[in-house]
Structures are given as structure tokens and as C-alpha cells.
Amino acid sequence: MTATTVTSNSTTPATGGIPALVVVAHGSRDPRALSTVRALLDRVRVLRPALPVHLGHVELNAPLLPDTLTALGDGAAVLVPLLLSRGHHVKRDIPELAAASPARTRVAAPLGPHPLLVDALQARLTEAGWPTRAGTDHAVVLASAGSRDPESRADTARTAAALSARLGVPVVPAYASAAPPTVPEAVRALTDRGYRRVAVASCFTAPGRFATECAAAAPWIAAAPLGTHPSIARLLLHRYDRARGRGGTGNAGKEARGTARPATTEPALAG
């Protein structure tokens, strides 16, 4: 995955200082989500103490992303979506909010697909009781929020394929909304094929309604959301570093309304 670069009709010389990391979460009515995201940002700060780290939400929780960016003034920032695939928020909402702000911004790729995401998914499954050596009757349903965007579903499918290769068992992507199959449908399909130990892997960044509903559909074990797993903190910093290393210009301010170049898929999961 490559970064989405917010461009403008004019340019502003860069001022001194390292660009801030702005982690962009979706937002949730579940109070556990906000506390989890804040704890994840604390872990990022421990990994890189000199880096200014801020939080902004697309909706539902404060601080909202426009408020976070306004507080940065005309400073430089890299926005890293705390989202696990491409979709409307990554390709439209976040770049448009960034372009409308006074800050000079660059938008990184979402967290998935990437090997560090697979590391976290595997670890959460292990914590839930996944065996060191899975049998021929073991399988996994990779539960995610879902999107109508085909690129989002393609990213989730790539993550499922990478997790399958890691575990050595079938991994079927399924969704809480907007796309088939649902988690119960995926569980039923695997059971009909003879798999008796079907686990649900939670491809959610924090607790919430979708994660809870998907876990409830597990016939065996269900992994916890990714939360504050160390690999997710490292992945946020990796996306930040990759976005900083890409070309492109910053958003020049309120007068310039930027356009976003959609993220593209790299041939390997190493990006």
C-alpha cells in the first residue's frame, strides 16, 4: 500500500520540526473503543518519545479530526488511518478533511494488509486458545466491519490469505455489514465442509458493537480485537515512516482545496 498524498494548487515552504503523527480512528459509541485507542497511542509514544502523536476521529468521538488539525495550525502532519483496509473513509473522507485544514498534511495507507497485522491477528487467536499445531478440522473466519468498496474487500481477502498461510488452515473473510458473507454464514459454510473447530479472528481495532456481534457467532473460540497489541503500534509507525518517505506536496491551507491520489496496492505485503 502506498500513501494517499493530499495536493494543493499552491505550495507552502516547510517549517522546522518533525511532522506530527495524527492517528485517525473511526469513532464508536462504545466507551471501550476510545480508551483502547488512547492506550494504543500511549504505546506508540513509548516506542518513539520524540514524535508528537495526536488523535482525531472521523465521527462519534472527540476530538474530531478537523479539530485536531486546526489545533496544529499550519504545521506538518502525517495522518495514519486506524483502519484495516481501503474504503470510503480512507479514499475520500480523510483526504478531504485534510485538504480543508490549515495543516500541511499527508495521508498514509491504512493498516492492512501487512505482515504486522497478521502478527497481531495470530497473537490474539493464540491468546484465545488457538493450538500451536492446528488439526485438519481447524479453520478460521476473519471477521471485519465490511464495506461496499471492492478494494476494501480485496484488502480483507489478502489479509485472510496471509493469515491462512501463517496458520496452515483455511481462513474465510466475513463481514459485520455491507458485504457477504456474514460471520454466521461463513461459520456455517465451513462447518458444512467438515471443519469442527472454527475460530473467529477479530479484524477490529477496538471493542465495539460489530466486534461483539461477530464474537458471539463463534462456535468455538473468538479472538479479542487487535487493541493495543505491540504489532499494531509498530504498524502505525511504519505507515507514518512510509508516508514521510513518499513524494508529494502538502496542503497549503484553507484557500486550497486539495485532491487525493487513491492508495494503490503493492505487489507484496511488505509495504
Short mmCIF file of all heavy atoms in Angstrom, two decimals, residues 23-70:
data_model
loop_
_atom_site.label_atom_id
_atom_site.label_comp_id
_atom_site.label_asym_id
_atom_site.label_seq_id
_atom_site.Cartn_x
_atom_site.Cartn_y
_atom_site.Cartn_z
N VAL A 23 -3.16 9.97 14.37
CA VAL A 23 -3.84 8.69 14.20
C VAL A 23 -5.33 8.97 14.04
O VAL A 23 -5.95 9.63 14.89
CB VAL A 23 -3.59 7.77 15.41
CG1 VAL A 23 -4.40 6.48 15.27
CG2 VAL A 23 -2.10 7.46 15.54
N VAL A 24 -5.90 8.50 12.93
CA VAL A 24 -7.30 8.79 12.61
C VAL A 24 -8.14 7.55 12.87
O VAL A 24 -8.09 6.57 12.12
CB VAL A 24 -7.46 9.24 11.15
CG1 VAL A 24 -8.90 9.67 10.90
CG2 VAL A 24 -6.51 10.39 10.83
N ALA A 25 -8.89 7.58 13.96
CA ALA A 25 -9.78 6.48 14.31
C ALA A 25 -11.18 6.76 13.76
O ALA A 25 -11.54 7.91 13.49
CB ALA A 25 -9.84 6.32 15.83
N HIS A 26 -11.95 5.70 13.61
CA HIS A 26 -13.31 5.88 13.09
C HIS A 26 -14.19 6.58 14.11
O HIS A 26 -14.90 7.54 13.80
CB HIS A 26 -13.92 4.53 12.73
CG HIS A 26 -15.30 4.65 12.16
ND1 HIS A 26 -16.43 4.74 12.96
CD2 HIS A 26 -15.75 4.71 10.89
CE1 HIS A 26 -17.50 4.84 12.20
NE2 HIS A 26 -17.12 4.83 10.93
N GLY A 27 -14.15 6.10 15.36
CA GLY A 27 -15.07 6.58 16.39
C GLY A 27 -16.12 5.53 16.68
O GLY A 27 -16.51 4.74 15.81
N SER A 28 -16.57 5.48 17.93
CA SER A 28 -17.52 4.45 18.34
C SER A 28 -18.33 4.94 19.52
O SER A 28 -17.85 5.74 20.35
CB SER A 28 -16.78 3.16 18.73
OG SER A 28 -17.66 2.21 19.30
N ARG A 29 -19.56 4.47 19.62
CA ARG A 29 -20.39 4.78 20.80
C ARG A 29 -19.99 3.91 22.00
O ARG A 29 -20.42 4.20 23.12
CB ARG A 29 -21.87 4.57 20.47
CG ARG A 29 -22.41 5.57 19.47
CD ARG A 29 -23.90 5.39 19.23
NE ARG A 29 -24.42 6.41 18.33
CZ ARG A 29 -24.41 6.32 17.02
NH1 ARG A 29 -23.90 5.23 16.44
NH2 ARG A 29 -24.89 7.29 16.26
N ASP A 30 -19.21 2.87 21.77
CA ASP A 30 -18.76 2.01 22.86
C ASP A 30 -17.61 2.72 23.59
O ASP A 30 -16.58 3.00 22.98
CB ASP A 30 -18.29 0.67 22.30
CG ASP A 30 -18.04 -0.37 23.38
OD1 ASP A 30 -17.44 -0.02 24.41
OD2 ASP A 30 -18.42 -1.53 23.18
N PRO A 31 -17.76 3.01 24.88
CA PRO A 31 -16.70 3.75 25.58
C PRO A 31 -15.38 2.99 25.63
O PRO A 31 -14.32 3.61 25.80
CB PRO A 31 -17.28 3.95 26.99
CG PRO A 31 -18.35 2.91 27.13
CD PRO A 31 -18.90 2.71 25.76
N ARG A 32 -15.41 1.68 25.48
CA ARG A 32 -14.16 0.91 25.48
C ARG A 32 -13.29 1.23 24.28
O ARG A 32 -12.06 1.11 24.34
CB ARG A 32 -14.47 -0.60 25.50
CG ARG A 32 -15.20 -1.08 26.73
CD ARG A 32 -15.59 -2.54 26.57
NE ARG A 32 -16.50 -2.73 25.44
CZ ARG A 32 -16.85 -3.91 24.95
NH1 ARG A 32 -16.32 -5.03 25.47
NH2 ARG A 32 -17.69 -4.00 23.94
N ALA A 33 -13.90 1.66 23.19
CA ALA A 33 -13.14 1.95 21.98
C ALA A 33 -12.20 3.13 22.20
O ALA A 33 -11.02 3.07 21.88
CB ALA A 33 -14.09 2.22 20.81
N LEU A 34 -12.72 4.21 22.75
CA LEU A 34 -11.89 5.40 22.96
C LEU A 34 -10.75 5.12 23.93
O LEU A 34 -9.61 5.53 23.68
CB LEU A 34 -12.75 6.56 23.46
CG LEU A 34 -12.01 7.87 23.72
CD1 LEU A 34 -11.29 8.35 22.48
CD2 LEU A 34 -12.99 8.94 24.22
N SER A 35 -11.04 4.42 25.02
CA SER A 35 -9.98 4.12 25.98
C SER A 35 -8.92 3.21 25.37
O SER A 35 -7.72 3.36 25.64
CB SER A 35 -10.57 3.49 27.25
OG SER A 35 -11.22 2.26 26.96
N THR A 36 -9.35 2.29 24.50
CA THR A 36 -8.40 1.40 23.85
C THR A 36 -7.51 2.17 22.89
O THR A 36 -6.29 1.97 22.86
CB THR A 36 -9.16 0.29 23.08
OG1 THR A 36 -9.91 -0.49 24.01
CG2 THR A 36 -8.19 -0.62 22.34
N VAL A 37 -8.09 3.06 22.10
CA VAL A 37 -7.30 3.84 21.15
C VAL A 37 -6.32 4.74 21.87
O VAL A 37 -5.15 4.88 21.47
CB VAL A 37 -8.23 4.64 20.22
CG1 VAL A 37 -7.42 5.60 19.36
CG2 VAL A 37 -9.05 3.71 19.33
N ARG A 38 -6.75 5.36 22.94
CA ARG A 38 -5.84 6.21 23.70
C ARG A 38 -4.67 5.40 24.27
O ARG A 38 -3.52 5.86 24.28
CB ARG A 38 -6.60 6.93 24.82
CG ARG A 38 -7.57 7.99 24.31
CD ARG A 38 -8.07 8.87 25.45
NE ARG A 38 -9.02 9.87 24.99
CZ ARG A 38 -8.69 11.02 24.42
NH1 ARG A 38 -7.41 11.32 24.21
NH2 ARG A 38 -9.63 11.87 24.05
N ALA A 39 -4.96 4.19 24.74
CA ALA A 39 -3.89 3.34 25.26
C ALA A 39 -2.93 2.92 24.15
O ALA A 39 -1.72 2.82 24.36
CB ALA A 39 -4.48 2.11 25.94
N LEU A 40 -3.46 2.70 22.95
CA LEU A 40 -2.61 2.36 21.80
C LEU A 40 -1.68 3.53 21.48
O LEU A 40 -0.49 3.32 21.20
CB LEU A 40 -3.48 2.01 20.60
CG LEU A 40 -2.75 1.74 19.28
CD1 LEU A 40 -1.80 0.56 19.40
CD2 LEU A 40 -3.75 1.51 18.15
N LEU A 41 -2.20 4.75 21.51
CA LEU A 41 -1.35 5.91 21.24
C LEU A 41 -0.26 6.07 22.29
O LEU A 41 0.87 6.49 21.99
CB LEU A 41 -2.20 7.17 21.14
CG LEU A 41 -2.64 7.56 19.72
CD1 LEU A 41 -3.51 6.49 19.10
CD2 LEU A 41 -3.38 8.90 19.73
N ASP A 42 -0.58 5.73 23.54
CA ASP A 42 0.44 5.77 24.59
C ASP A 42 1.57 4.78 24.27
O ASP A 42 2.74 5.07 24.51
CB ASP A 42 -0.18 5.45 25.94
CG ASP A 42 -1.03 6.58 26.48
OD1 ASP A 42 -0.86 7.72 26.02
OD2 ASP A 42 -1.87 6.32 27.37
N ARG A 43 1.20 3.63 23.73
CA ARG A 43 2.22 2.65 23.36
C ARG A 43 3.10 3.18 22.21
O ARG A 43 4.31 2.98 22.20
CB ARG A 43 1.55 1.33 22.95
CG ARG A 43 2.52 0.19 22.71
CD ARG A 43 1.78 -1.09 22.36
NE ARG A 43 1.15 -1.69 23.51
CZ ARG A 43 1.74 -2.52 24.35
NH1 ARG A 43 3.02 -2.82 24.18
NH2 ARG A 43 1.09 -3.04 25.36
N VAL A 44 2.49 3.89 21.27
CA VAL A 44 3.25 4.50 20.18
C VAL A 44 4.23 5.53 20.73
O VAL A 44 5.39 5.61 20.31
CB VAL A 44 2.30 5.14 19.15
CG1 VAL A 44 3.08 5.95 18.12
CG2 VAL A 44 1.47 4.06 18.45
N ARG A 45 3.78 6.32 21.69
CA ARG A 45 4.65 7.35 22.28
C ARG A 45 5.85 6.73 23.00
O ARG A 45 6.95 7.30 23.00
CB ARG A 45 3.83 8.22 23.24
CG ARG A 45 2.76 9.06 22.54
CD ARG A 45 2.04 9.98 23.53
NE ARG A 45 1.00 10.74 22.86
CZ ARG A 45 -0.30 10.47 22.95
NH1 ARG A 45 -0.71 9.46 23.70
NH2 ARG A 45 -1.17 11.23 22.30
N VAL A 46 5.63 5.59 23.63
CA VAL A 46 6.75 4.90 24.28
C VAL A 46 7.77 4.44 23.26
O VAL A 46 8.99 4.54 23.47
CB VAL A 46 6.22 3.71 25.12
CG1 VAL A 46 7.38 2.84 25.60
CG2 VAL A 46 5.42 4.21 26.31
N LEU A 47 7.28 3.96 22.10
CA LEU A 47 8.19 3.48 21.06
C LEU A 47 8.99 4.62 20.44
O LEU A 47 10.14 4.42 20.03
CB LEU A 47 7.40 2.75 19.97
CG LEU A 47 6.80 1.40 20.35
CD1 LEU A 47 5.92 0.87 19.21
CD2 LEU A 47 7.89 0.38 20.68
N ARG A 48 8.38 5.82 20.34
CA ARG A 48 9.07 6.94 19.72
C ARG A 48 8.77 8.22 20.52
O ARG A 48 7.92 9.02 20.14
CB ARG A 48 8.65 7.09 18.26
CG ARG A 48 9.61 7.94 17.45
CD ARG A 48 9.36 7.82 15.97
NE ARG A 48 9.55 6.47 15.47
CZ ARG A 48 9.40 6.12 14.18
NH1 ARG A 48 9.08 7.04 13.28
NH2 ARG A 48 9.58 4.88 13.80
N PRO A 49 9.49 8.43 21.60
CA PRO A 49 9.17 9.52 22.53
C PRO A 49 9.25 10.91 21.91
O PRO A 49 8.54 11.82 22.36
CB PRO A 49 10.21 9.34 23.65
CG PRO A 49 10.65 7.92 23.55
CD PRO A 49 10.58 7.57 22.10
N ALA A 50 10.11 11.12 20.93
CA ALA A 50 10.29 12.46 20.37
C ALA A 50 9.21 12.83 19.35
O ALA A 50 9.16 13.98 18.90
CB ALA A 50 11.67 12.58 19.71
N LEU A 51 8.37 11.89 18.98
CA LEU A 51 7.37 12.13 17.94
C LEU A 51 6.09 12.70 18.54
O LEU A 51 5.50 12.08 19.44
CB LEU A 51 7.06 10.82 17.21
CG LEU A 51 5.97 10.86 16.14
CD1 LEU A 51 6.38 11.78 15.00
CD2 LEU A 51 5.68 9.45 15.63
N PRO A 52 5.61 13.85 18.06
CA PRO A 52 4.30 14.34 18.52
C PRO A 52 3.19 13.44 17.97
O PRO A 52 3.10 13.22 16.76
CB PRO A 52 4.21 15.75 17.91
CG PRO A 52 5.59 16.09 17.45
CD PRO A 52 6.26 14.79 17.13
N VAL A 53 2.37 12.90 18.86
CA VAL A 53 1.32 11.96 18.47
C VAL A 53 -0.03 12.54 18.90
O VAL A 53 -0.22 12.90 20.07
CB VAL A 53 1.53 10.58 19.12
CG1 VAL A 53 0.41 9.63 18.74
CG2 VAL A 53 2.89 10.01 18.71
N HIS A 54 -0.96 12.62 17.94
CA HIS A 54 -2.28 13.18 18.20
C HIS A 54 -3.36 12.20 17.72
O HIS A 54 -3.09 11.31 16.91
CB HIS A 54 -2.45 14.52 17.48
CG HIS A 54 -1.40 15.52 17.83
ND1 HIS A 54 -1.47 16.32 18.94
CD2 HIS A 54 -0.24 15.84 17.20
CE1 HIS A 54 -0.40 17.10 19.00
NE2 HIS A 54 0.37 16.83 17.95
N LEU A 55 -4.57 12.42 18.20
CA LEU A 55 -5.71 11.58 17.84
C LEU A 55 -6.80 12.44 17.22
O LEU A 55 -7.08 13.54 17.69
CB LEU A 55 -6.25 10.87 19.08
CG LEU A 55 -7.56 10.07 18.93
CD1 LEU A 55 -7.36 8.92 17.93
CD2 LEU A 55 -8.01 9.54 20.29
N GLY A 56 -7.41 11.93 16.15
CA GLY A 56 -8.57 12.56 15.56
C GLY A 56 -9.55 11.49 15.11
O GLY A 56 -9.13 10.41 14.67
N HIS A 57 -10.85 11.77 15.23
CA HIS A 57 -11.87 10.80 14.84
C HIS A 57 -12.64 11.28 13.62
O HIS A 57 -12.85 12.48 13.43
CB HIS A 57 -12.86 10.57 15.99
CG HIS A 57 -12.28 9.89 17.18
ND1 HIS A 57 -11.73 10.58 18.23
CD2 HIS A 57 -12.16 8.56 17.48
CE1 HIS A 57 -11.29 9.72 19.14
NE2 HIS A 57 -11.54 8.50 18.71
N VAL A 58 -13.08 10.31 12.82
CA VAL A 58 -13.94 10.63 11.69
C VAL A 58 -15.32 11.04 12.17
O VAL A 58 -15.93 11.97 11.64
CB VAL A 58 -14.03 9.43 10.73
CG1 VAL A 58 -15.01 9.72 9.59
CG2 VAL A 58 -12.66 9.08 10.17
N GLU A 59 -15.82 10.37 13.22
CA GLU A 59 -17.15 10.68 13.75
C GLU A 59 -17.29 10.09 15.15
O GLU A 59 -16.43 9.34 15.61
CB GLU A 59 -18.25 10.12 12.83
CG GLU A 59 -18.20 8.62 12.65
CD GLU A 59 -19.26 8.11 11.68
OE1 GLU A 59 -20.06 8.92 11.20
OE2 GLU A 59 -19.28 6.89 11.41
N LEU A 60 -18.33 10.48 15.83
CA LEU A 60 -18.81 9.90 17.08
C LEU A 60 -18.01 10.24 18.33
O LEU A 60 -18.57 10.31 19.42
CB LEU A 60 -18.93 8.36 16.97
CG LEU A 60 -19.90 7.83 15.92
CD1 LEU A 60 -19.83 6.31 15.84
CD2 LEU A 60 -21.32 8.29 16.23
N ASN A 61 -16.71 10.43 18.24
CA ASN A 61 -15.89 10.72 19.41
C ASN A 61 -15.09 11.99 19.23
O ASN A 61 -14.70 12.35 18.12
CB ASN A 61 -14.92 9.57 19.71
CG ASN A 61 -15.61 8.31 20.17
OD1 ASN A 61 -15.42 7.25 19.59
ND2 ASN A 61 -16.39 8.39 21.23
N ALA A 62 -14.84 12.66 20.33
CA ALA A 62 -13.91 13.78 20.34
C ALA A 62 -12.51 13.27 20.73
O ALA A 62 -12.40 12.29 21.49
CB ALA A 62 -14.38 14.84 21.33
N PRO A 63 -11.47 13.90 20.19
CA PRO A 63 -11.53 15.03 19.26
C PRO A 63 -11.83 14.57 17.84
O PRO A 63 -11.34 13.53 17.40
CB PRO A 63 -10.12 15.62 19.35
CG PRO A 63 -9.25 14.44 19.67
CD PRO A 63 -10.07 13.56 20.56
N LEU A 64 -12.65 15.33 17.14
CA LEU A 64 -12.87 15.06 15.73
C LEU A 64 -11.64 15.50 14.94
O LEU A 64 -10.90 16.40 15.34
CB LEU A 64 -14.11 15.79 15.23
CG LEU A 64 -15.44 15.30 15.81
CD1 LEU A 64 -16.57 16.22 15.39
CD2 LEU A 64 -15.74 13.86 15.37
N LEU A 65 -11.42 14.86 13.80
CA LEU A 65 -10.23 15.13 13.01
C LEU A 65 -10.08 16.61 12.63
O LEU A 65 -8.96 17.15 12.75
CB LEU A 65 -10.21 14.25 11.76
CG LEU A 65 -9.01 14.42 10.82
CD1 LEU A 65 -7.70 14.18 11.55
CD2 LEU A 65 -9.14 13.50 9.62
N PRO A 66 -11.13 17.31 12.19
CA PRO A 66 -10.94 18.73 11.85
C PRO A 66 -10.43 19.55 13.04
O PRO A 66 -9.62 20.46 12.87
CB PRO A 66 -12.33 19.18 11.40
CG PRO A 66 -12.97 17.93 10.91
CD PRO A 66 -12.49 16.86 11.82
N ASP A 67 -10.90 19.23 14.24
CA ASP A 67 -10.46 19.97 15.42
C ASP A 67 -8.98 19.69 15.72
O ASP A 67 -8.22 20.59 16.08
CB ASP A 67 -11.31 19.60 16.63
CG ASP A 67 -12.77 19.98 16.45
OD1 ASP A 67 -13.04 20.99 15.76
OD2 ASP A 67 -13.65 19.28 16.99
N THR A 68 -8.57 18.44 15.57
CA THR A 68 -7.16 18.09 15.79
C THR A 68 -6.27 18.83 14.80
O THR A 68 -5.23 19.37 15.16
CB THR A 68 -6.97 16.58 15.66
OG1 THR A 68 -7.74 15.91 16.67
CG2 THR A 68 -5.50 16.19 15.81
N LEU A 69 -6.68 18.85 13.52
CA LEU A 69 -5.87 19.51 12.51
C LEU A 69 -5.85 21.02 12.69
O LEU A 69 -4.82 21.67 12.50
CB LEU A 69 -6.39 19.14 11.12
CG LEU A 69 -6.25 17.67 10.72
CD1 LEU A 69 -6.89 17.42 9.36
CD2 LEU A 69 -4.80 17.24 10.72
N THR A 70 -6.97 21.59 13.09
CA THR A 70 -6.99 23.04 13.34
C THR A 70 -6.03 23.41 14.46
O THR A 70 -5.33 24.44 14.39
CB THR A 70 -8.42 23.49 13.70
OG1 THR A 70 -9.28 23.24 12.58
CG2 THR A 70 -8.47 24.97 14.05
#
